[in-house]
Amino acid sequence: MKDLEFTIITGLSGAGKSEAIRCFEDMGYFCIDNLPPSLIMKMVELCSLPGSKIDKVALVIDVRGGKFFDTLSAALKELKTKGINYQILFLEASNEEIIKRFKKTRRRHPLSLSGQIIDGIEREKNILEGLKGRADMVINTTNIEAHELKDKIRSSFLGKGKKKGILTTVISFGYKYGVPLDADLVFDVRFLPNPHYIDELRSHTGQEKAVKDFILNRKETKVFMKKFFSLLAFVMPYYIAEGKTHLVIALGCTGGTHRSVTLAEKTKNFLEEKNYNVTLRHRDIGRDFEAE
């Protein structure tokens, strides 16, 4: 049997499973929403047929399947017995956020028999408690936008063939817009001179040469980068040894357009040179321009 990779997407209703499955589809996975667990092995058979080019499958399986959902544990056990690699992505959000999302879409919660959304949420949490405990990755979507969820998924599920087993996301951000909630390491680079106060640089970003030169040619920047990269080179192998699979490094300046952007890009380049799997996101780049 050829190597197959199955990802089971599950979790609370309203937590973002539809966004997640679209992201997997964009990444080249064969995707099915609301598949009865009893049909998982049928999918394995189809993918294993001669001539089949499907080797990555993402399935949304949740309480909408009713009694069919009860057979999920047995299906996962059979996957393991057959030697099929699978991982579970579990999505959740706060009760308040889920209620807000259901009210916005005017949809009914699948387990809300009384009409009260909170009743359905609590019933669903009880049903999924054991499955959450088995998940390989749990994402709380309470305070993240759809694009941030997709970034998390892409950074965690792409590039698994890399030699070093940790997936790293580097984020530039502006402190005035808040610190990224999922950051593991946060570095404040506001001690560096701010290009915002240079007239000819204000309207440019840290991705452009003039701004890069202004930042990178500073003595203090060079000293910082040497010490910062030395720290990363030291801690990364230890994160791997401890079993950490995903690391988020955030660099922040005031507005998230100049200093943090330049240094985030340099950080990404450094980690790639060390053969780590890295994705880069400039969360607030240009946001100050929009406010002007």
Side-chain angles (χ1 to χ4, degrees):
M1 182 178 293
K2 70 178 183 180
D3 289 337
L4 296 174
E5 178 188 326
F6 274 68
T7 298
I8 309 299
I9 304 169
T10 189
L12 301 180
S13 301
K17 297 189 295 291
S18 296
E19 291 291 344
I21 195 71
R22 283 194 285 269
C23 182
F24 277 94
E25 190 171 30
D26 291 342
M27 292 191 298
Y29 283 69
F30 183 85
C31 300
I32 301 178
D33 189 8
N34 200 17
L35 182 78
S38 57
L39 297 181
I40 289 178
M41 292 312 298
K42 290 293 183 184
M43 277 301 308
V44 173
E45 293 176 15
L46 289 173
C47 295
S48 302
L49 290 174
S52 172
K53 296 182 179 180
I54 299 174
D55 58 4
K56 297 188 297 183
V57 179
L59 308 171
V60 174
I61 299 176
D62 53 31
V63 296
R64 288 175 297 166
K67 292 184 178 180
F68 288 117
F69 184 72
D70 298 337
T71 64
L72 179 57
S73 291
L76 294 178
K77 184 177 181 180
E78 191 170 1
L79 280 178
K80 186 174 182 180
T81 301
K82 298 287 186 182
I84 305 297
N85 294 320
Y86 75 85
Q87 53 207 337
I88 299 174
L89 170 61
F90 191 98
L91 301 180
E92 63 180 1
S94 68
N95 291 355
E96 294 77 11
E97 181 64 21
I98 290 176
I99 291 172
K100 184 173 72 173
R101 292 173 186 177
F102 270 98
K103 286 185 176 295
K104 183 177 180 179
T105 60
R106 299 183 180 180
R107 292 174 54 228
R108 173 182 164 274
H109 191 285
L111 296 183
S112 182
L113 304 179
S114 66
Q116 294 292 313
I117 298 173
I118 188 63
D119 293 340
I121 294 172
E122 294 301 331
R123 190 174 293 114
E124 188 173 33
K125 283 184 177 180
N126 290 332
I127 293 172
L128 296 176
E129 184 177 4
L131 187 57
K132 179 183 176 182
R134 298 175 60 181
D136 298 278
M137 184 176 187
V138 178
I139 299 178
N140 190 310
T141 66
T142 302
N143 294 312
I144 64 176
E145 301 292 336
H147 71 275
E148 293 178 290
L149 173 59
K150 291 178 180 178
D151 284 346
K152 279 178 174 287
I153 291 173
R154 279 192 291 266
S155 65
S156 299
F157 290 89
L158 282 178
K160 291 198 171 184
K162 289 280 186 178
K163 292 180 180 178
K164 298 186 178 178
I166 190 167
L167 302 161
T168 307
T169 300
V170 178
I171 300 175
S172 70
F173 72 95
Y175 273 95
K176 67 192 293 184
Y177 301 113
V179 177
L181 296 177
D182 57 346
D184 297 297
L185 302 175
V186 179
F187 295 89
D188 185 346
V189 298
R190 288 177 293 182
F191 67 91
L192 296 173
N194 192 350
H196 177 80
Y197 296 111
I198 309 298
D199 290 341
E200 59 268 29
L201 298 179
R202 183 177 300 123
S203 61
H204 297 278
T205 75
Q207 293 177 311
E208 298 175 63
K209 186 178 185 302
V211 176
K212 285 182 179 180
D213 289 345
F214 175 84
I215 295 169
L216 297 177
N217 289 334
R218 307 285 305 196
K219 179 181 177 181
E220 54 267 49
T221 304
K222 293 176 181 178
V223 174
F224 169 75
M225 287 173 53
K226 183 178 179 180
K227 293 179 180 293
F228 177 47
F229 293 162
S230 178
L231 172 65
L232 292 181
F234 173 76
V235 301
M236 296 291 282
Y238 287 101
Y239 280 126
I240 295 173
E242 285 297 314
K244 192 169 184 61
T245 59
H246 186 208
L247 182 72
V248 180
I249 302 171
L251 294 102
C253 59
T254 304
T257 292
H258 299 111
R259 294 164 290 180
S260 62
V261 170
T262 293
L263 291 173
E265 298 208 342
K266 295 294 288 186
T267 302
K268 174 180 181 290
N269 293 341
F270 170 78
L271 291 172
E272 285 182 334
E273 289 171 2
K274 297 294 183 181
N275 205 25
Y276 291 104
N277 182 33
V278 190
T279 60
L280 174 66
R281 180 160 65 88
H282 298 307
R283 192 191 72 177
D284 300 320
I285 189 170
R287 198 164 172 180
D288 282 349
F289 302 159
E290 297 171 2
E292 291 178 355

